[in-house]
Amino acid sequence: MARRKIVAGNWKMNMTPSQAVALCAELKDLVKSDDVDVVYCVPAIDIIPVVEAVKGTNVAVGAEDMSFEEKGAFTGEISADMLLDAGVKYVIIGHSERREYHKEDDASLNKKVLKAIEKGLTPILCCGETLEQREMGITLDWIRTQIKSDLKDVTAAQVAELVIAYEPIWAIGTGKTATTAQAEEVCKAIRECIAEVYGTDTAEKVRIQYGGSVNAGNAAELFAQPNIDGGLVGGASLKADFGKIVCYK
Ligand code: 13P
């Protein structure tokens, strides 16, 4: 069975609540699709108005991060239960900006993945190499290590349901997209790594996105690759172009 494509916007730290509602209205008709899952991953403060704004549409809402703790004295954090109660379905875990600026490591990201799954949220687990790592020729080893550590103790059935996003750090927000061949090579290696650890059935089911300067011009070619099941889109998810990325065919 063919995997269903999934295109998610990662709004990052953009859009006030009123701007968020306006963007949802602008995109509403442009992102209609019968064969692509569409997700807006939005800043925490935008979640409630965006859930309201996309009601009755094909758009699901995601968070950009969450705590691995259940509840309690963790100032500034947001729990899985809070996200669920607000109507969130997906959560980005381990974005390279969280890894870099907030020093999130694989051990804590693994706890986040496990907590999200326990609660019924779908993780969009990010991985990716720096330019330095790519130039050293250790990209695939690095990605395999990230995936294996971040998915420790996750069962095959759970892995089959999650989304993995391959985002080369050097291609994020730089306008420098990985070539289609580079993106496909790593997404394929991720699938092979999943096959090795969890079996081929699981590997065939897990959805793997590419992220890093995806735009209306390159989405069709990227998403046509056998191991690329959609995209995690930053800058271009904040404008009408996002509709063209969703409707890439
Ligand atoms: P850009 O699409 O702006 O390069 O961002 C990619 C990204 O980080 C999505 O999570």
Side-chain angles (χ1 to χ4, degrees):
M1 214 183 74
R3 288 178 296 273
R4 204 175 147 81
K5 299 271 192 236
I6 176 164
V7 175
N10 173 9
W11 290 8
K12 308 193 178 185
M13 197 172 74
N14 295 294
M15 299 286 141
T16 63
S18 52
Q19 290 169 336
V21 170
L23 180 61
C24 291
E26 184 189 349
L27 292 178
K28 189 173 170 206
D29 292 331
L30 306 176
V31 298
K32 276 191 185 143
S33 170
D34 290 331
D35 46 22
V36 175
D37 288 338
V38 182
V39 186
Y40 297 164
C41 297
V42 307
I45 198 162
D46 294 341
I47 287 173
I48 289 175
V50 168
V51 166
E52 188 59 34
V54 301
K55 247 184 206 148
T57 75
N58 60 318
V59 176
V61 178
E64 297 179 9
D65 181 41
M66 59 164 250
S67 172
F68 56 72
E69 298 287 358
E70 184 65 29
K71 63 186 284 195
F74 302 100
T75 302
E77 294 282 9
I78 294 184
S79 73
D81 283 339
M82 293 171 185
L83 296 178
L84 280 167
D85 190 57
V88 166
K89 305 280 183 226
Y90 294 84
V91 57
I92 297 176
I93 293 178
H95 191 280
S96 59
E97 288 149 18
R98 301 286 319 170
R99 292 181 192 254
E100 183 180 354
Y101 305 135
H102 301 271
K103 304 287 170 259
E104 295 196 16
D105 60 12
D106 289 319
S108 65
L109 295 173
N110 175 236
K111 288 195 213 169
K112 292 188 180 196
V113 169
L114 290 168
K115 180 58 85 178
I117 292 172
E118 174 202 324
K119 296 291 182 175
L121 291 164
T122 300
I124 299 178
L125 173 66
C126 299
C127 59
E129 82 287 5
T130 61
L131 187 56
E132 195 184 3
Q133 288 169 323
R134 176 158 284 270
E135 285 169 350
M136 282 163 68
I138 59 169
T139 297
L140 299 186
D141 285 342
W142 173 253
I143 302 281
R144 289 165 56 86
T145 303
Q146 282 188 319
I147 293 291
K148 287 185 183 175
S149 328
D150 298 347
L151 295 182
K152 191 169 155 276
D153 300 329
V154 181
T155 68
Q158 292 167 337
V159 171
E161 296 298 318
L162 59 78
V163 179
I164 297 174
Y166 166 55
E167 298 206 317
I169 296 169
W170 48 272
I172 295 177
T174 55
K176 224 192 238 183
T177 327
T179 64
T180 307
Q182 284 171 327
E184 168 62 13
E185 182 196 20
V186 180
C187 291
K188 181 165 176 272
I190 293 171
R191 203 174 301 286
E192 286 166 357
C193 173
I194 298 291
E196 214 177 279
V197 183
Y198 299 97
T200 48
D201 275 6
T202 303
E204 281 310 309
K205 286 186 190 139
V206 66
R207 293 190 287 179
I208 304 176
Q209 298 173 315
Y210 167 76
S213 299
V214 173
N215 59 46
N218 59 26
E221 189 179 319
L222 285 162
F223 299 172
Q225 301 308 303
N227 287 290
I228 301 181
D229 305 315
L232 184 56
V233 184
S237 70
L238 301 169
K239 42 187 185 180
D241 265 15
F242 190 62
K244 295 190 190 139
I245 298 174
V246 169
C247 306
Y248 64 95
K249 272 190 205 155

